[in-house]
Amino acid sequence: MYKLKAIANDIFYVGVNDRQKALFENMWPLPYGISYNSYLIVGEKSVLVDTVDVCFSDIFLRKIQDKLQERPLDYLIVNHMEPDHAGSIRLLRQLYPQVQIIGNKRTFDMLDGFYGIKTGLVEVKDGDMLEIGQHKLDFYLAPMVHWPEVMMTYEETNKILFSADAFGTYGTLDGGILETELNLEHFWDEMKRYYSNIVGKYGNPVQRILQKLSALDIQVICSTHGPVWTEHIRDVVGIYDKLSRYEGEDGVVIIYGSMYGNTEQMAETIAASLADNGVKNIIMHNVSKSDASYVLRDLFKYKAVIIGSPTYCNQLYPEIDSILQKIEVREVKNRLFAYFGSFSWAGAAVKRLAAFGEKMQWTVVGEPVESKQALKADKYDACWDLGKSMAEKLAEK
């Protein structure tokens, strides 16, 4: 029944689309949905690369059965054990009890922990090669991109990299599977948002796997989320390389909270000064409205960040405190930083923002501004000077 998309000779896409889930990992918005990608090699031996979320196992398994007909499934390669990719393994094993599962030692620890599977396992180590029929498969361990068991599989004949979550993106595959069949406009920012939300903490591990892969001739990238990449491989790898080096583009992200509009007026003044002094990429996030996933995306995207908060119960505004925790977890490096705040009777926010910047080891720019109650002329001028200082600092780089 299913007309499966061929990625290469005898390699087929058997993934699914999820347009139902509102939040990925129950945290990150999915305005465009998400795909769970799986790939089936049907040669002398049959090999499945990863599975899909268990919620879609019925459609997924029917696709495999339709293609294999009466043939057995010989091997399952598990590149990543996160449940959105490993969720159908137990049901697959029930349908194909003789299937041999290929993974590394950490894979098998998790396979037992999640699904109680201990038998029929083929362990591979970094750099190992398995010849399965006419297909030669090379395995590259990629720990902490973004789980400890992650590995990637390179199929030599067609020069295909099955990359687990790396090079993935939010967004369903609406009809097409290959990038050449899709309008990619929204995928680029969604890739950056996916990276910052999911992989962001692990810049050094990403750099290590990019170095490992640099010697390979990669003609196709098959990630577990998003399009199959063929013509934009350099662009896709370049995005991961740049983000994992924490190399932001020229621009400023202003992150602020405001209860009654006074801190917001400070943010507006700083933004106007930035623009007046030549900065064009200015992104403003009111943390009471902007979801954290978009704030994080833009923080990874741009070189400079300015954060403002009112004092709340002698602490930071709660939503600012929350986004700072998420930023700290991701260990974002090499940012230009300025900060400001307001208070009604006792100020604490500016002091706490100073401590945050010191902890992150960011480069502080300009003089922080702290305003009591409504924005007065002297504080307006101080905010303008802060924006000007950041614009001048960006112009130096």
Side-chain angles (χ1 to χ4, degrees):
M1 181 179 80
Y2 289 100
K3 293 184 178 180
L4 301 180
K5 180 69 179 181
I7 306 301
N9 290 336
D10 66 30
I11 300 178
F12 301 90
Y13 179 86
V14 289
V16 298
N17 287 303
D18 186 348
R19 297 184 180 86
Q20 302 173 31
K21 192 177 275 86
L23 297 174
F24 189 63
E25 296 184 339
N26 219 20
M27 289 187 285
W28 315 114
L30 293 173
Y32 302 103
I34 195 163
S35 68
Y36 310 121
N37 299 341
S38 174
Y39 307 91
L40 181 64
I41 303 172
V42 186
E44 295 172 31
K45 298 287 185 180
S46 57
V47 184
L48 182 68
V49 183
D50 292 309
T51 71
V52 303
D53 191 302
V54 70
C55 298
F56 297 88
S57 59
D58 181 50
I59 298 169
F60 170 65
L61 294 174
R62 278 191 281 130
K63 286 183 177 182
I64 295 169
Q65 287 178 291
D66 270 10
K67 189 63 186 177
L68 291 182
Q69 294 295 314
E70 301 303 317
R71 288 187 56 174
L73 178 64
D74 297 303
Y75 296 96
L76 166 66
I77 296 173
V78 180
N79 282 330
H80 186 21
M81 275 297 302
E82 199 167 6
D84 55 332
H85 307 300
S88 296
I89 291 178
R90 194 202 312 267
L91 293 174
L92 183 80
R93 197 60 171 301
Q94 291 173 3
L95 187 62
Y96 297 104
Q98 301 307 312
V99 65
Q100 299 289 293
I101 300 177
I102 298 172
N104 58 73
K105 184 180 185 303
R106 284 177 166 169
T107 308
F108 297 152
D109 291 340
M110 291 186 179
L111 198 60
D112 181 18
F114 279 113
Y115 307 114
I117 295 175
K118 302 179 182 180
T119 60
L121 309 179
V122 179
E123 183 179 345
V124 293
K125 297 181 174 62
D126 192 36
D128 280 358
M129 188 271 285
L130 285 180
E131 195 164 344
I132 300 176
Q134 69 269 46
H135 295 278
K136 291 182 180 179
L137 303 172
D138 304 315
F139 302 95
Y140 297 90
L141 301 192
M144 302 319 303
V145 184
H146 59 116
W147 277 27
E149 87 303 346
V150 171
M151 68 182 193
M152 301 183 185
T153 302
Y154 178 69
E155 193 271 336
E156 291 188 18
T157 305
N158 297 284
K159 299 178 173 56
I160 297 176
L161 180 69
F162 298 98
S163 62
D165 274 351
F167 314 118
T169 172
Y170 299 129
T172 54
L173 303 177
D174 298 339
I177 305 297
L178 304 176
E179 64 180 345
T180 53
E181 303 169 322
L182 297 163
N183 182 337
L184 298 176
E185 185 176 357
H186 70 273
F187 280 112
W188 298 119
D189 264 352
E190 287 296 88
M191 175 176 280
K192 292 171 185 175
R193 188 165 70 93
Y194 179 87
Y195 179 94
S196 67
N197 297 177
I198 309 301
V199 188
K201 180 182 177 70
Y202 304 108
N204 288 337
V206 170
Q207 282 295 308
R208 284 194 288 272
I209 190 61
L210 289 178
Q211 185 61 38
K212 277 187 190 181
L213 300 176
S214 62
L216 300 180
D217 180 9
I218 299 171
Q219 297 297 317
V220 182
I221 292 179
C222 291
S223 176
T224 46
H225 295 296
V228 171
W229 301 104
T230 56
E231 294 186 358
H232 286 84
I233 289 174
R234 181 174 294 181
D235 298 323
V236 168
V237 173
I239 287 172
Y240 264 65
D241 184 36
K242 188 171 186 176
L243 293 176
S244 61
R245 294 178 188 272
Y246 307 97
E247 292 181 357
E249 302 170 21
D250 284 336
V252 182
V253 184
I254 301 176
I255 305 168
Y256 70 93
S258 189
M259 288 182 283
Y260 302 112
N262 295 308
T263 313
E264 185 169 54
Q265 285 302 304
M266 300 175 76
E268 293 280 6
T269 304
I270 293 167
S273 176
L274 287 166
D276 192 63
N277 286 281
V279 179
K280 292 186 177 180
N281 292 321
I282 304 168
I283 312 297
M284 299 186 71
H285 285 293
N286 178 346
V287 292
S288 296
K289 185 177 180 181
S290 292
D291 186 86
S293 71
Y294 296 94
V295 179
L296 291 169
R297 176 199 64 191
D298 292 335
L299 185 70
F300 271 83
K301 189 173 181 179
Y302 294 107
K303 290 179 181 178
V305 56
I306 302 176
I307 303 177
S309 174
T311 295
Y312 185 90
C313 296
N314 206 37
Q315 304 288 331
L316 289 165
Y317 186 60
E319 297 306 315
I320 285 290
D321 192 43
S322 176
I323 193 64
L324 295 190
Q325 290 179 39
K326 293 178 175 66
I327 294 169
E328 186 177 342
V329 163
R330 282 155 183 80
E331 300 178 4
V332 183
K333 299 175 178 61
N334 307 326
R335 289 297 177 263
L336 302 176
F337 177 53
Y339 54 99
F340 62 98
S342 66
F343 66 96
S344 293
W345 63 88
V350 165
K351 179 177 68 175
R352 296 184 185 280
L353 288 171
F356 170 76
E358 186 175 344
K359 184 182 293 185
M360 296 299 294
Q361 299 182 337
W362 288 348
T363 301
V364 176
V365 177
E367 290 295 324
V369 185
E370 187 170 39
S371 176
K372 183 177 181 179
Q373 297 156 6
L375 183 61
K376 305 294 193 302
D378 61 332
K379 297 301 181 182
Y380 179 93
D381 291 342
C383 288
W384 192 272
D385 289 343
L386 183 60
K388 182 180 180 182
S389 294
M390 183 61 82
E392 290 172 348
K393 188 67 175 178
L394 276 172
E396 293 176 5
K397 291 187 166 293

